[in-house]
Amino acid sequence: MKTITKIIATSAAVVALFFTTNANAQSSQKLGIGIFGGIPTSDAYSVALGADLRYQFDIDKQLSIPVTAGYTRFLGKEIGNSGIDAPDFGYIPVKAGVKYFFNESGSGMYGLAELGAGFGTNEGSGTSFVYSPALGYAWSNGLDLGVKYEGLARDGSSTGYVGLRLAYGFSL
């Protein structure tokens, strides 16, 4: 079952990437490189850190389809006063979504919603469903600053983080 989930998630990401690269050639394409840090929603972790690459296909000035992949690591901490440290947890999120700019310039304030899969890098951690809503501001010079929540759900349990992402995007 775990292998099937990975195959489906990877296939969905490949189809999304294929669709976005073969759509209208007059629309613009961008690649962004970002770093982020956040506060986990679980008491077992002290901080979430990571980096990502985001391919963005602009449908028009206000609407884009982003496909994002990267690496996120939750740093474990002592659970309560138990003397037991939670282990670090890492995963590779692969997401696709919709990005909408609130004005017609193609920069400024935007809302973003992404869904996908998180492939755990710890032994036995498996694959999780990943969802990530965000609000941000993109400057016309390529800088992008966003606030996001990223959640992971698997086998009836969930965790996530509230984070700040700083990125630079350039046209392809």
Side-chain angles (χ1 to χ4, degrees):
M1 182 69 177
K2 293 177 186 179
T3 303
I4 297 290
T5 304
K6 288 181 183 181
I7 291 170
I8 290 171
T10 303
S11 298
V14 168
V15 167
L17 186 60
F18 178 77
F19 171 78
T20 58
T21 57
N22 286 315
N24 186 351
Q26 294 178 356
S27 298
S28 67
Q29 301 173 40
K30 297 177 184 140
L31 184 64
I33 300 169
I35 58 171
F36 53 87
I39 301 169
T41 58
S42 170
D43 290 336
Y45 305 108
S46 60
V47 68
L49 300 170
D52 61 26
L53 287 174
R54 178 176 290 156
Y55 170 81
Q56 180 175 305
F57 176 80
D58 297 336
I59 302 292
D60 60 30
K61 289 275 189 187
Q62 287 184 278
L63 186 64
S64 301
I65 298 173
V67 177
T68 308
Y71 180 74
T72 304
R73 185 150 197 95
F74 286 92
L75 303 180
K77 68 177 187 179
E78 182 180 0
I79 302 171
N81 291 325
S82 65
I84 299 171
D85 290 336
D88 291 358
F89 172 69
Y91 67 98
I92 298 168
V94 178
K95 306 173 287 185
V98 176
K99 185 176 186 179
Y100 180 78
F101 286 93
F102 297 120
N103 64 45
E104 295 180 9
S105 70
S107 61
M109 288 290 298
Y110 65 83
L112 171 69
E114 294 179 298
L115 301 174
F119 303 100
T121 58
N122 298 38
E123 187 173 330
S125 59
T127 303
S128 301
F129 173 68
V130 176
Y131 52 99
S132 183
L135 287 174
Y137 192 93
W139 286 268
S140 57
N141 66 1
L143 287 177
D144 186 317
L145 183 64
V147 175
K148 71 177 188 170
Y149 173 78
E150 184 158 294
L152 291 96
R154 180 174 179 250
D155 297 334
S157 65
S158 65
T159 191
Y161 69 91
V162 175
L164 188 63
R165 179 180 183 265
L166 177 63
Y168 179 76
F170 51 92
S171 296
L172 297 176

